[in-house]
């Protein structure tokens, strides 16, 4: 077999009449790689050098997908689900989702108003591209700290992102006054995510209602183009405390609310790439049209597994939730007594987002000054092999924080927490 060597790279600035093949679009050049991906790269390098790494950087369940859900996909694969399917997903699967929304969330959203996509991330991507034009001057209001994909994906679509910073003192929840102050006649989208990545906390129903009232009042005064809310409820099943879950769609005009959810976190199915959006017909139709030109449809043989997970997977989700509760207790108890570390008790999802700014300016035993969360994370990883994510990418005031995902097993969490404690004690 002949091995072809790669052609020499063509510099971006090469003078030529036609664009050089390596000249990239400005919008892709502007996209920043995420801090999580950089940390994962370092983790992989340490692991391949033979080190045990206490990796709390990636936000994904460490359980396997339940067997009966896998069986449904295998059966589908072996019985002909190998062709293109409807762009929005098979109607019977969307009916199962519609029924879930009715039974569990008291929302009446017909199957026709649901689009199944390759993950909640793709659902969000489709939505912002359906709402924004390049240089449209319309705004996307984003409470922060927030999942690190919301901002770049919205900017890619042409939105101007307005960040509204929450605080550790307020359990990372924005107030109605903060929301009111952030809204303008150009506000087009409000992004809600409760339970929240990266903060690990969630809004109580009364708090959501108060924010919903602000949205409704705004839309009465500025109906055109009006504010749409996207509520990303991917961590709906990961409730860690007594705060009940409430869908944000219950508090705003259903014609202006899109609910995003999926199976990645609730049923340990990150690699399957399954998510969905449910909302007003016109928007879902536009998103489906876009999906038709992007990926055509989701993977066919996964579809019966979606129905299986939604109709018969509740016990699995609860079992995993109970285990996350135990893990949250272990890691929170271990970290809460570290002097200088400030963190609310996690109430949802599987994250802690402690404020580590008390250690900025201190020196590690290697002589390195810890100027910020990035230094802290890289020193912790290099010297103690514990991987956390610096909070910078999650928006203000994330630069004072680090994110720890506690989806790992209890022995790993216990050892990791003790290494964090030792590292912090070693700073002078
Ligand atoms: N929304 C939030 C808040 C997330 O944290 C993540 C993944 O980490 C996603 C969406 C993406 O989920 P999916 O795997 O369904 O694309």
């Amino acid at each position: 077999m002949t091995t072809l060597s790669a052609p020499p790279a063509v510099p971006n600035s090469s003078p030529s009449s036609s664009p050089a093949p390596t000249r990239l679009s400005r919008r892709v050049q502007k996209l920043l790689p995420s801090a999580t991906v950089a940390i994962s790269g370092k983790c992989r390098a340490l692991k391949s050098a033979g080190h045990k790494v206490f990796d709390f950087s990636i936000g994904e369940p460490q359980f396997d997908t339940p067997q009966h859900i896998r069986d449904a996909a295998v059966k589908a694969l072996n019985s002909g689900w190998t062709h293109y399917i409807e762009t929005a997903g098979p109607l019977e699967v969307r009916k199962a989702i519609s029924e879930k929304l009715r039974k569990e969330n008291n929302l009446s959203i017909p199957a026709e108003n649901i689009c199944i996509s390759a993950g909640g991330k793709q659902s969000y991507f489709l939505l912002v591209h359906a709402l924004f034009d390049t240089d449209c001057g319309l705004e996307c209001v984003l409470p922060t700290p927030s999942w690190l994909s919301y901002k770049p994906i919205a900017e890619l679509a042409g939105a101007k992102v307005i960040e509204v910073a929450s605080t550790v003192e307020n359990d990372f929840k924005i107030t109605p006054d903060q929301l009111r102050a952030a809204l303008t006649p150009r506000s087009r989208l409000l992004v809600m995510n409760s339970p929240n990545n990266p903060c690990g906390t969630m809004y109580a129903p009364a708090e959501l209602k108060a924010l919903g009232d602000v949205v409704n009042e705004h839309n009465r005064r500025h109906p055109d183009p009006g504010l749409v809310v996207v509520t990303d409820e991917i961590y709906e099943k990961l409730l860690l405390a007594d705060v009940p879950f409430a869908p944000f769609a219950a508090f705003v005009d259903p014609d202006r609310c899109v609910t995003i959810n999926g199976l990645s976190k609730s049923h340990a199915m990150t690699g399957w790439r399954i998510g969905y959006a449910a909302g007003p017909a016109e928007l879902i139709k536009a998103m489906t049209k876009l999906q038709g030109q992007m990926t055509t449809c989701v993977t066919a043989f996964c579809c019966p597994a979606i129905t299986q997970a939604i109709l018969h997977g509740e016990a699995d989700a609860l079992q995993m939730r109970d285990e996350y509760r135990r893990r949250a207790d272990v890691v929170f108890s271990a970290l809460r007594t570290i002097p200088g570390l400030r963190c609310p008790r996690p109430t949802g999802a599987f994250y802690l987002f402690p404020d580590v700014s008390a250690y900025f300016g201190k020196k590690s035993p290697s002589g390195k000054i810890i100027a910020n969360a990035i230094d802290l994370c890289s020193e912790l990883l290099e010297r103690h092999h514990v991987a956390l994510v610096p909070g910078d990418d999650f928006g203000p005031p994330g630069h004072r924080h680090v994110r720890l995902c506690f989806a790992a097993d209890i022995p790993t969490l216990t050892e990791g927490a003790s290494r964090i404690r030792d590292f912090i004690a070693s700073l002078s």
Side-chain angles (χ1 to χ4, degrees):
M1 197 169 80
T2 323
T3 311
L4 295 175
S5 57
V10 182
N12 266 359
S13 55
S14 74
S16 121
S17 51
S18 61
T22 50
R23 188 175 297 162
L24 301 174
S25 68
R26 277 195 298 279
R27 70 178 182 282
V28 166
Q29 286 186 55
K30 260 173 44 191
L31 263 185
L32 294 176
S34 83
T36 319
V37 173
I39 289 282
S40 304
K42 279 193 186 173
C43 283
R44 261 195 303 278
L46 278 170
K47 282 177 197 163
S48 56
H51 297 290
K52 174 158 173 53
V53 177
F54 297 82
D55 187 356
F56 308 124
S57 64
I58 296 282
E60 77 168 338
Q62 299 198 348
F63 300 112
D64 284 335
T65 304
Q67 187 67 50
H68 65 106
I69 300 174
R70 284 185 273 157
D71 289 344
V74 171
K75 191 167 161 213
L77 187 56
N78 289 328
S79 58
W81 284 75
T82 52
H83 300 274
Y84 292 133
I85 52 172
E86 280 167 74
T87 299
L91 190 62
E92 65 270 23
V93 183
R94 287 182 285 139
K95 279 186 178 160
I97 295 171
S98 169
E99 183 56 14
K100 176 256 177 236
L101 292 168
R102 190 190 61 75
K103 253 176 48 196
E104 295 182 8
N105 307 123
N106 202 19
L107 298 175
S108 170
I109 303 182
E112 292 72 19
N113 291 21
I114 293 171
C115 177
I116 304 172
S117 297
K121 186 183 262 184
Q122 194 192 4
S123 300
Y124 177 74
F125 188 102
L126 296 171
L127 174 67
V128 293
H129 282 266
L131 287 175
F132 294 99
D133 279 306
T134 314
D135 300 327
C136 58
L138 295 176
E139 294 163 358
C140 168
V141 177
L142 179 62
T144 60
S146 71
W147 179 45
L148 45 77
S149 291
Y150 293 133
K151 185 177 175 186
I153 293 178
E155 285 178 341
L156 203 58
K160 179 172 176 205
V161 175
I162 308 293
E163 294 175 310
V164 184
S166 63
T167 60
V168 64
E169 292 79 16
N170 200 30
D171 281 1
F172 301 109
K173 291 181 269 196
I174 62 160
T175 63
D177 283 345
Q178 277 184 293
L179 177 58
R180 203 173 287 112
L183 294 176
T184 75
R186 293 175 306 283
S187 303
R188 186 67 175 123
L189 183 67
L190 167 66
V191 182
M192 292 296 297
N193 170 222
S194 175
N196 181 273
N197 173 11
C199 304
T201 55
M202 61 187 284
Y203 290 86
E207 292 164 332
L208 291 177
K209 177 174 183 318
L211 294 174
D213 288 347
V214 175
V215 171
N216 296 334
E217 175 197 312
H218 176 86
N219 275 334
R220 273 193 294 276
R221 285 194 287 123
H222 304 284
D224 189 19
L227 182 66
V228 172
V229 181
V230 57
T231 170
D232 177 349
E233 300 180 353
I234 197 116
Y235 294 102
E236 173 193 6
K237 302 282 179 190
L238 274 69
L239 307 183
L240 307 175
D242 291 334
V243 187
F245 174 81
F248 197 57
F251 305 112
V252 288
D253 177 356
D255 281 341
R256 290 189 180 272
C257 185
V258 176
T259 299
I260 287 180
N261 208 329
L263 300 176
S264 288
K265 318 287 175 171
S266 56
H267 292 79
M269 293 174 71
T270 46
W272 294 63
R273 311 310 303 127
I274 293 163
Y276 59 85
E282 193 191 351
L283 258 179
I284 297 294
K285 230 169 119 183
M287 291 163 66
T288 306
K289 182 167 74 168
L290 184 53
Q291 174 154 290
Q293 293 295 14
M294 282 179 74
T295 49
T296 304
C297 56
V298 288
T299 304
F301 59 81
C302 292
C303 288
I306 304 176
T307 316
Q308 180 71 22
I310 284 180
L311 297 184
H312 307 289
E314 188 58 13
D316 305 294
L318 291 178
Q319 209 182 343
M320 288 188 239
R321 182 208 62 188
D322 289 346
E323 182 56 28
Y324 290 129
R325 286 183 173 183
R326 283 189 278 277
R327 295 174 183 193
D329 281 346
V330 166
V331 74
F332 183 69
S333 313
L335 296 186
R336 70 184 304 187
T337 54
I338 298 181
L341 201 85
R342 288 199 307 153
C343 187
R345 178 180 280 280
T347 50
F350 39 42
Y351 305 103
L352 284 180
F353 200 59
D355 181 334
V356 291
S357 58
Y359 315 118
F360 295 172
K362 296 201 172 197
K363 200 196 287 182
S364 88
S366 70
K368 179 166 174 140
I369 301 288
I370 306 294
N372 50 39
I374 298 172
D375 288 347
L376 190 136
C377 289
S378 63
E379 214 38 25
L380 187 57
L381 181 56
E382 275 160 36
R383 316 264 157 224
H384 296 262
H385 300 163
V386 175
L388 306 180
V389 183
D392 300 63
D393 279 4
F394 302 101
H399 66 284
R400 299 155 62 100
H401 295 254
V402 294
R403 189 189 74 175
L404 182 155
C405 172
F406 54 80
D409 61 33
I410 287 180
T412 307
L413 285 169
T414 308
E415 174 62 21
S418 120
R419 286 173 177 236
I420 294 172
R421 171 185 290 279
D422 291 348
F423 169 67
I424 286 176
S426 74
L427 300 176
S428 54

